């Protein structure tokens, strides 16, 4: 068996221990004689899985009791509609503030416009989103129903180093690509959402963490399935949940806890990213594309001087077992996504490989 180092932006690597455990339990989950995929979501065995998943996530993120944890479907892209449908009506203002830091922010903005007035308080589009704009409290509208940010920009490789102060206006965050990778104080947010397929588990489950006082104010047009309250009232079992992805996510949470939790993982992530950025800064031919202050720990875009070199690097890297390094078309070049499940060894070996490439092509 040859596992490769997979630098995909999503769906992404899962810890090998998790995959082995899932494989071992595939045909007979803990003596039930069935796979988790074949179980009723109302069975005791599955309810225990769902409860454990929630308890573990609460522990890992230190989620206060005043927040509901929801396991939903439809990916972060559905949250782009669900957040405004549920929150635009908070104070009757039907307006929200957004910070535009890349393609995912833009999609969130265009979806929110269907349900209310959107004010883009700042944007980094002038430099192809290679930084996070400076934000002051004065830039945010105290009358807004909520303010929305994307904490880590998967495509452009930037992340917020500090959260904006929005006063009493609830802060809403798309955390799809850096949830559980670094410590966040959940109490600073009204709503956090994330698709699972980057740092949580398999595609198909979406996590929403919402402050309880923000439940139950959805617009009248909100379809039943897109209201947070119905899912909160039914412990994420209003309809059939994404059972198997949720089970694998639970295994990932257990793995992360065993590794020492988010604090320990953040250290490892800083070490991994530091290795790659350190090399990019010392290289004569490889260059990072992001302003150093805003560099992501998870998604690291970089370029070579010519398209030809980019192409030959990607080809040789793939052949050597470093896959999915091709950058997003809006940045070009390469992107290494190094989520929690990417071992330190994967980044060490990638950097070695880049050094060799530079030796031959520099
Ligand atoms: C991947 C990603 C999305 C889209 O997620 P889906 O689950 O495919 O809808 C949204 N926002 C960010 C920041 C992402 O990285």
């Amino acid at each position: 068996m040859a596992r490769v180092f997979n630098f995909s932006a999503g769906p992404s690597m899962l810890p090998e221990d998790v995959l082995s455990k899932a494989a071992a339990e595939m045909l007979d989950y803990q003596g039930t004689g069935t796979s988790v995929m074949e179980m009723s979501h109302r069975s005791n065995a599955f309810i225990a899985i769902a409860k454990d998943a929630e308890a573990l996530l609460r522990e890992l993120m230190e989620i206060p009791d005043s927040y509901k944890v929801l396991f939903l479907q439809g990916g972060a892209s559905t949250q782009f509609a669900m957040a405004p449908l549920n929150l635009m009506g908070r104070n009757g203002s039907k307006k929200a503030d957004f910070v535009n830091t890349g393609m995912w922010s833009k999609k969130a903005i265009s979806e929110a416009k269907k349900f209310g007035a959107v004010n883009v308080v700042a944007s980094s589009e002038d430099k192809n989103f290679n930084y996070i704009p400076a934000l002051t409290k004065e830039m945010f509208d105290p009358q807004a129903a909520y303010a929305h940010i994307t904490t880590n920009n998967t495509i452009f490789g930037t992340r917020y180093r500090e959260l904006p102060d929005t006063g009493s206006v609830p802060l809403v965050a798309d955390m799809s690509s850096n949830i559980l990778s670094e410590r966040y104080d959940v109490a600073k947010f009204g709503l956090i959402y994330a698709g699972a397929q980057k740092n949580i588990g398999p595609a198909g489950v979406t996590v929403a963490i919402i402050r309880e006082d923000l439940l139950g104010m959805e617009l009248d047009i909100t379809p039943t399935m897109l209201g947070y309250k119905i899912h909160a009232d039914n412990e994420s079992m209003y309809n059939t949940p994404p059972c198997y992805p949720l089970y694998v996510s639970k295994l990932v949470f257990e793995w992360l806890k065993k590794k020492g939790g988010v604090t320990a993982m953040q250290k490892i992530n800083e070490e991994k990213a530091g290795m790659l950025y350190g090399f990019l800064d010392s290289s004569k031919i490889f260059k990072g594309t992001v302003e150093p202050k805003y560099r992501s720990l998870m998604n690291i875009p970089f370029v070579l001087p010519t398209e030809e070199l980019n192409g030959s690097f990607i080809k040789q890297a793939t052949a050597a077992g470093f896959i999915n390094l091709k950058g997003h078309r809006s940045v070009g070049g390469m992107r290494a996504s190094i989520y929690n499940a990417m071992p330190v060894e994967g980044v060490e070996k990638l950097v070695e490989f880049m050094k060799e490439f530079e030796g031959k092509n520099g």
Side-chain angles (χ1 to χ4, degrees), residues 74-77 80 104 150 152 154 174 176-177 195 197-198:
S77 300
F80 295 163
W104 296 118
T150 313
N152 183 79
T154 325
D174 177 357
S176 293
S177 54
Q197 67 272 25
K198 281 130 192 177

Side-chain angles (χ1 to χ4, degrees), residues 6-10 12 151-159 175-182 184 198-200 262 265-274 276-277 294-301 325 335-342 347:
N6 178 7
F7 294 89
S8 168
S12 327
T151 50
N152 183 79
N153 295 278
T154 325
I155 292 171
F156 298 95
T158 60
R159 70 161 168 152
M175 226 180 251
S176 293
S177 54
N178 77 332
I179 191 167
L180 296 171
S181 72
E182 60 181 290
Y184 277 105
K198 281 130 192 177
N199 237 348
I200 295 176
V262 177
M265 188 50 69
Q266 178 170 348
K267 280 217 180 76
I268 298 171
N269 287 331
E270 283 164 355
E271 183 195 339
K272 286 190 297 189
L276 193 41
Y277 287 124
Y294 304 106
R295 286 168 161 176
S296 167
L297 295 176
M298 298 282 98
N299 311 96
I300 305 187
L325 279 167
R335 171 178 50 170
S337 294
I338 52 172
Y339 299 113
N340 288 356
M342 172 62 67
V347 180

Side-chain angles (χ1 to χ4, degrees), residues 185-221:
D185 179 0
V186 174
K188 296 219 161 104
F189 299 88
L191 166 69
I192 293 169
Y193 62 83
Q197 67 272 25
K198 281 130 192 177
N199 237 348
I200 295 176
V205 63
T206 307
V207 169
I209 302 164
I210 184 164
R211 217 172 62 206
E212 264 168 9
D213 65 288
L214 298 175
L215 291 170
M217 45 188 68
E218 55 267 28
L219 303 179
D220 291 341
I221 58 162

